[in-house]
Amino acid sequence: MAAVYSGISFKLKSKTTSWEDKLKLAHFAWISHQCFLPNKEQVLLDWARQSLVAFYKKKLELQEDIVERLWVYVDNILHSRRLQNLLKNGKTINLQISLVKIINEKIEEFSLSGSKRSICAILSCCQGILSAPALAVIYTAKPELIVALLSQLCWSACRQPEGAMTAKLFEVIHLALDHYLKLQQQQANPRRVFGDMTGHLFQPCLVLRHLLLGGTWTQASQGQLWQVLSRDIRSKIDAVLRGGVFRYDLLSSYKEELLEQQQENVKMGVLKNLLTPMDTVITRLVEPDYVKSDLHALVVASSVSLLYRLFLDSYLKEENQFLCFQVLPRLFGCLQISHLQEGQMEALSLSEWTTELLAVEQLLNLVATCNIYNVAADRIRHGETQFHFYRRVAELLINHSQASVPAWFRCLKILMSLNHLILEPDLDDLLSSAWIDAEVTEFRAKKAQEVLINTVFQTYAKLRQMPQLFQELLEVICRPAAEALRQPLLASGLSMALCACFLELPLSQILDTWSLVLDKFQSLVMPCLQSDTDMAFKAMSLSSLLHCIMFNMQSLDNNMPLPIIRRTQCMMERMLRELVKPLLGLLLDLWSPEPEPWQQKVSDSALLLSYTWAQVDTTLSLHCSQYYSLAVSLARAALDSSNLPLLLPGVETELWKKVEKCIAQSRSLSRYCLEQLYLQKVKRTLIRTNSQSKEALQTLRFDTAHIFDSSRDCLSQKTVTAWDRQVSTMNESLYPVAHWHLIVSNLTVLIPYLCLNDVRYVATVLLRTLPTSKAQGSLAPGESYVTLEKISTALLHSPLFPEMQSLYSAFLTCIIAKCSNILCSGAHNDLSLSQQLPWLFGKDYHTLVAHWETRLAKVGSEGVEPRGEIAQNFLSMVKSGFPIKLDEDQLKGLLELFNVISALRLDSLWPSYHVHLFFLLFSMAVSTLGHCSCPLALQFLVKCYQLLSGLQRGRNARSVFRVMYVSDIFEVVLTSLLQASAEFQVKEDDPAWLQLLQVSGVFLEQLMQMLIQAKLSLVLNFGKITAFLSKYSKGASSKELNIQNLRSRQLLLVALTKLCQSLGPCVKERRQLLEAPAALPELLQQAMMQMGAMLQLCLVPGTTGRRRLPSVLLSAVPTLLEVDLSQHLREGQPKIAQVVDTDRALLSHVTLYQDVYTQLLEELPALSGNTQSFQAALRFLTLFLLAPELHSKESSVFASIFYSVQKVLTGPCIPAPVTQDTEPHLGALLTQMFKAETTEHFGMVLQSILQGLDVTQAWRSDLQVVLCAIRLLNLLLKCPLSGEKASLLWRSCPQIVTALMLQHREACQEQPVALVVVEPILEVLAVLLRKGEESISNPHHVNLAFNILLTVPLEHLKPREFGSVFLKTHNVLFSILQCHSKVMLKAIPSFLNSFNRLLLSVLHEGRQKDQGSMDDLPVVLECARLVERMYSHIATRAEEFTTFSPFLVAQYVTEVQKVTLYPPVKNLLQEGIYLILDLCMERDIQFLRASLQSGARDVFKDLHSDYLKYHKAKHEGEKRYTA
């Protein structure tokens, strides 16, 4: 009988008992069930509490160790499961307030002095109290206790560095915030809550939030859980601040303080009793003593925008807009920069400016997004109070320019968006400090600058005040300044922004702007150009501005008003007469042999304006017949009889020669523009009707050669500089890029008139400037920056490159020459090679090509010249060790060239080029690689055979066989590979080795397939191949010829496999046509016997005692079995006398087949990770089913294979790509199984699926069983079924759909959602609905699908997951729409609800985000495209959806007004909704206009306007041409 312990309470209180014994006794009393004490829990807790209270009140002396253990004891009680169970059962445990006060005091001591005595245990006790609602009431009953605790906890976190208790401290803070939030919501007295907040919690909460936001606790932030906790604490602090400082019941106080204090008649008595919450908040915020001085400004800056946001969240309504503004100046006044105007502050550092400007940006962003500023209301009702404040901010920002800080630009951009008049008084200073004189180098600052200037352009373009803007801009440009220090006026981003604005402007505005620039140039710059470097730089800036204006204005056409055409004509004449010619004259008059910088700039300006004028003049004359080109009129007036155009009208050829002489040594903009002028001249010559005359052709060749000859030396070396394609940024270092860009961009025009040397020069430069690796990328469409490598790569991949045959041939010649040089360097001066391999050692490539052409012409169908000469040379060299030995550096050089060759189109080479390149690659493939590292050598060989295979897919592939027999090529390749395999130190299952086996096998198979297609001496070639393989196979079995390593056997097995794969179908086809000569079946039989023998040699001992094949060799077995089965004559097939008896051949391999079958049943799950081996295994099992004589009578083949497949599908990790690649093979296996077996077997499979889909599997968390059932069902649905089996499947359909719905519901309830189950369910459901179009008769079973669709998780997914789930959901919805029209009659609401979820998810994912890249945009675009497609399908079902069309439109505009979409996403969705608007009648449009709310109504108005303008007008135009 258990002893009953008593007297414990007495011993605990006894002074004679040592504290060590008391603690042991108390611990025993708590954990032991044999110790009985009335109300034991309360007694023990009270004893520990009293002891601690007595100690801290100095009534009891205890050692620190004992105190620590007492706290731990209390903590153990508070966290014990026993106490939690007691509290759940309703038992009351009283915590005295004295203990709570001690906890608060110790935490306060920790926060002030950092004393860590027992602090971990105390925090843990605090956590235990706050975690249990029944215990936490001690805090919540007295609000001052929880307020004090929370305050001290926050200060502790702020003042203490990272330590062991950091995580525990934040957990306690999280719990305390939870309790205080609930208490705050229950408080009825707003003043008390406000007092608690501002008096105790306001400052520590703001400091803690700032530190959390800045990632102060980096050690703790390593884990995901910390990030979640940190985010939760910040959000709870926000809620506490909002609930305490900005309660709704304080609105009247804020109104009295912020609005009525402005009225002069407010009585002083009222003001004395007035609660001034805003003053209190700001006073507490700016107090200097609550945080260190270096942190104070940061905390204030981060808190200002937070407080303003919380104020707006609480009080923003239409009638409170002015109140919301009144807070802004007060909060802005807390920032340091607000005192700069009054001179109260010293200059700020860059980091301080960054912090302050970020705060200002956030404040202004809130104003803009919440529509605080209404220009008209501010002017009429409030005397422009807001406007004056924003003006003050604008003046502050412009007077203290911070161009290195991106936020400075963003603040100005927001002010410009609010009202352009805010910045207009300082527009000149804005343009100067933010653009013309700004020194911006950092990328983010440049982007922010571009956005600001773009906003300025767009604003003034919309206001049609572009001339006024340019007036200010010209004033800034022409101010005295150190021009050489200024950055280029129009970099890429700014230039594109200006171009976009000019395209939208009316031509009259552009002409006004053009005239302004011209006037300024003439009046201020031209008179002072001589010897004035600053003026020369200004001339260059104005020239680039004129270039931008003229190149981006609307082109004239015949529909333009005549006054506009005339005015444009006058401007062109004036510019040529008053600007271009005088600049050229000045250039010639003042040029010196060693030009000064100002002369160089004058030269650049003159040539740039000349090129611009010539280009625009040509364009205008082409598009507008009423525009009379000055070039034509001056040419007619000239005495020169030539009709060919000049470089520039009115400037004679002699004058241009002088200009060219002046800039002969220039490598800058002048030279580039002169090349552009010559290019324009070439194009103008080609436009003329007499362009093919002798004189014209001579001129075209001269001008084209001039473009190349002028700067031939600039591309002699590589340069990595990038050019933004803007002429204003051109300099000497960028000239090679610009020159190469000009040539490549216009090659199609220039190439017909280039001499052979120039074509070779282009090919040489192209090869030299190509990147050495694929990773360096190519030129993307629309990319602004170009480099030599990107330009060359773009040309290499261009579809036009092969069309330029002379350049293509020259480029191929360069590559071949370079490859030959590398190979020759590896020949080590072997003189005999020049006769054996003449294609490597010829100095003149064209002589070599002629040699191949002669040789190909000699070898006709009669075979005049024997083809074995080259083969014998190769064989003798390979067997004796190929004399070309390549080292690693040579291999790397060749691999770089292989990357280039891979990008070429090798399918249309001329026969001589084809043969030459083939034998060059062939020589590389058989070269000796013994001194190279194994991975590099394997990579090289793989690339060689890949290129040979690609080359032999070309149209002139047969020309190779006129020089060398297929059997000879086969023998050389295999001999070389067998020798190399003996030298390679690599494992047999190494991926690189297996890849070499694959690509060499592909090449050999390709050779034999071409042999069969061309019928090139089949018996002779296949006989030689079979004899060659027979010799090596016998050598392998007799341990001769060095064929003992598994790699050599693998090579032979690959060769035999490809031989059987090629020869087997050929023999079968000819046998059916009764054409098969006796020799071919005999050769096939020999190959099969050799292959079987080789497989037997490759068997290795298994774990069970059986011999097994290595997994890498399994792919050969199905080939052998397939050919074996095709050779085994069934009844009803014609017999041929010459065919040997194949029954014995089949029987001789039975043991091998059965061993492999047994091995595969065991290893199939393990093979599923290797696609190639797994596919081969499935193919073998499918063929095995076709041979009943191989089946064992002891067990069912169907059951064995099915259970093995089931194991595969139940496997823990099958990669998705493997599943997709092997699905057709699994489907073929199951199809064959169902064909061969009975309905009972099919029922067994169906029963297994239903068991796996049972919801109890999800409850048991047996995920793999569920996934196996879904995969099996998917495969089953794709099998062709008929009769009883199909009937059995569709009778089970209701069970299947219901099971899928329940599984989906369970998966969606998990956290996080089990997408691994959801996605396969959606996929199989779509297949089920499509296949059941005629078989699912009950609409209810289809309606169950909507239950799944309405709960599919589309939120909080990664981009790739979102795209996948979206696509599968769309496919289910589309299947219902297309295949179940009867269901749709009654299920349209459910259908539209499901579709609306897809639309909402696209709107959410496609919105423009403040942070983050656009890498995810392609996924969202694809989803938007699917939504558009669904809209189009809905529109085709007009009779069903016409009634619902206005609701679809209303849903769209209501949701789209809430977000700002990326333009491509918006365009796609709009195209879809236009199709729905086609279904809407006029009354529907009127209904929408009347019923939509104001914001949505505006969106609908714009949408309908665009619909009428773009969509309806376009389709009505198309209808005119429809019969």
Side-chain angles (χ1 to χ4, degrees), residues 1157 1161 1184-1185 1191-1192 1195-1202 1233 1237:
Y1157 167 72
L1161 290 182
F1184 192 84
L1185 283 165
H1191 299 179
S1192 169
S1195 60
S1196 166
V1197 172
F1198 180 94
S1200 301
I1201 294 178
F1202 175 69
M1233 288 167 67
E1237 301 300 333

Side-chain angles (χ1 to χ4, degrees), residues 596-656:
E596 297 178 21
W598 73 269
Q599 291 174 311
Q600 186 62 56
K601 284 298 169 185
V602 171
S603 166
D604 290 348
S605 297
L607 271 295
L608 174 59
L609 292 176
S610 300
Y611 151 58
T612 305
W613 193 95
Q615 174 84 2
V616 173
D617 181 68
T618 305
T619 306
L620 294 177
S621 59
L622 283 174
H623 289 88
C624 182
S625 59
Q626 297 179 16
Y627 172 84
Y628 298 105
S629 171
L630 203 60
V632 177
S633 59
L634 288 173
R636 287 173 182 167
L639 296 175
D640 190 358
S641 60
S642 173
N643 288 323
L644 297 177
L646 298 169
L647 281 177
L648 197 67
V651 183
E652 297 301 329
T653 307
E654 293 302 319
L655 184 61
W656 274 117

Side-chain angles (χ1 to χ4, degrees), residues 1037-1055:
S1037 58
S1038 61
K1039 299 186 179 181
E1040 296 174 0
L1041 299 177
N1042 195 22
I1043 312 295
Q1044 293 308 302
N1045 65 70
L1046 185 56
R1047 291 187 300 278
S1048 301
R1049 293 175 180 175
Q1050 281 177 287
L1051 274 168
L1052 286 173
L1053 197 54
V1054 167

Side-chain angles (χ1 to χ4, degrees), residues 1084-1095:
L1084 179 59
Q1085 184 64 31
Q1086 290 177 32
M1088 285 168 50
M1089 297 302 293
Q1090 292 172 27
M1091 190 174 174
M1094 187 59 63
L1095 280 167

Side-chain angles (χ1 to χ4, degrees), residues 43 108 211 253 358 375 645 652 658 685 734 749 933 935 994 1199 1454:
V43 168
E108 182 180 8
L211 294 175
S253 298
L358 282 171
V375 178
E652 297 301 329
K658 293 179 183 178
T685 305
L734 292 173
V749 176
S933 66
L994 295 178
T1454 302

Side-chain angles (χ1 to χ4, degrees), residues 1309-1379:
Q1309 287 174 353
E1310 291 185 24
Q1311 291 299 327
V1313 175
L1315 290 179
V1316 71
V1317 176
V1318 170
E1319 291 191 52
I1321 286 175
L1322 292 171
E1323 188 176 350
V1324 80
L1325 184 61
V1327 177
L1328 184 69
L1329 291 168
R1330 281 198 301 273
K1331 293 284 184 180
E1333 182 175 2
E1334 297 176 357
S1335 305
I1336 302 176
S1337 55
N1338 192 338
H1340 172 69
H1341 301 146
V1342 179
N1343 280 330
L1344 288 175
F1346 288 117
N1347 294 338
I1348 295 176
L1349 294 178
L1350 289 169
T1351 55
V1352 170
L1354 291 166
E1355 302 84 20
H1356 311 299
L1357 301 178
K1358 295 174 183 175
R1360 187 175 297 176
E1361 292 173 347
F1362 171 75
S1364 178
V1365 174
F1366 189 99
L1367 174 63
K1368 291 176 172 61
T1369 308
H1370 167 273
N1371 289 346
V1372 176
L1373 207 56
F1374 182 67
S1375 301
I1376 296 172
L1377 182 67
Q1378 289 293 95
C1379 303

Side-chain angles (χ1 to χ4, degrees), residues 1166-1179:
L1167 291 174
S1168 62
N1170 185 321
T1171 307
Q1172 191 176 356
S1173 299
F1174 190 52
Q1175 288 177 357
L1178 294 176
R1179 196 160 131 258

